[in-house]
Amino acid sequence: MVSPPELPPEPRREPILTLPGALTAYIGLLAIVHVVWSALPPDLEYWTIETFGFIPKRYDPSLLTATFPGGGGAKVWTFVTYSLLHANLSHIGFNVLWLLPFGSAVARRFGAFRFFLFMAVTAVAGAAAHLVTHEHSIAPMIGASASVSGAMAAAIRFAFVRGSFLSFRGNDADAAAQVPALSLMRALQNPRVLAFLAIWFGINIIFGMGSVAVGAESGSVAWQAHIGGFMAGLVLFSLFDPVPRPPRDAASASSGGADRVP
């Protein structure tokens, strides 16, 4: 009696709602930093903000380096470290809420190393935008919103493509994260992407007129940093994307043309 040949094992399908390890580690890092910072006495708490928060006035050439804690080194590391600090639970919770759908898609596509590097680069872009628009401000900026905005921008480069996260087809997260992305030109011709951009910029401008609690004080929302991180994520996405673009898309981009978006 001949037994039937064994069928190859069915590939594992990762549910859409499962968080990738890189995003879990990133959220865990934010939580640990917040818990440790919140446990500090008030004098060390504010010293931490001044040392690791982003303060535009720190870059005023007329001031001595020793004016702010951290010296010359803080002029470098605060471009990233500010994004790890949050004012309160609602601040960190709001950022994590947006990270769950968009950060999950990007982390699954980029992998851990690219994802963490991408979040750092978009944090730098957000700090740079804040520095340009708040040149003499002494108020420290903290929060991961610029990086979160960058992740949102990166996600829309592929999330609307058929078979991906926002196309409402299938539930395999790994497959959804590997669909070829739209070129920047094609993305800016996609009606759904354009609608997302209009809503995102509108919300940021509206909320930029409000305020957010920073410790026991009130500070304005750094919406310019959000835009800086978002634009960096949108434009620099291709430098981090490990998934090759289809040949016709590359040819269209090089010739200046654009195919219709499916």
Side-chain angles (χ1 to χ4, degrees), residues 199-236:
I199 294 172
W200 187 89
F201 278 97
I203 290 175
N204 271 272
I205 292 174
I206 292 173
F207 276 91
M209 299 175 183
S211 63
V212 63
V214 179
E217 302 176 1
S218 177
S220 60
V221 174
W223 60 273
Q224 295 93 336
H226 298 183
I227 292 177
F230 189 92
M231 295 304 297
L234 187 67
V235 174
L236 300 179

Side-chain angles (χ1 to χ4, degrees), residues 152-161 166 181-201 230 234 261-262:
M152 295 173 72
I156 66 174
R157 290 286 299 270
F158 64 93
F160 288 109
V161 177
L166 298 181
L182 299 173
S183 66
L184 181 59
M185 182 179 298
R186 292 184 68 198
L188 295 178
Q189 295 174 342
N190 186 315
R192 288 176 291 181
V193 172
L194 292 176
F196 184 94
L197 291 175
I199 294 172
W200 187 89
F201 278 97
F230 189 92
L234 187 67
V261 178

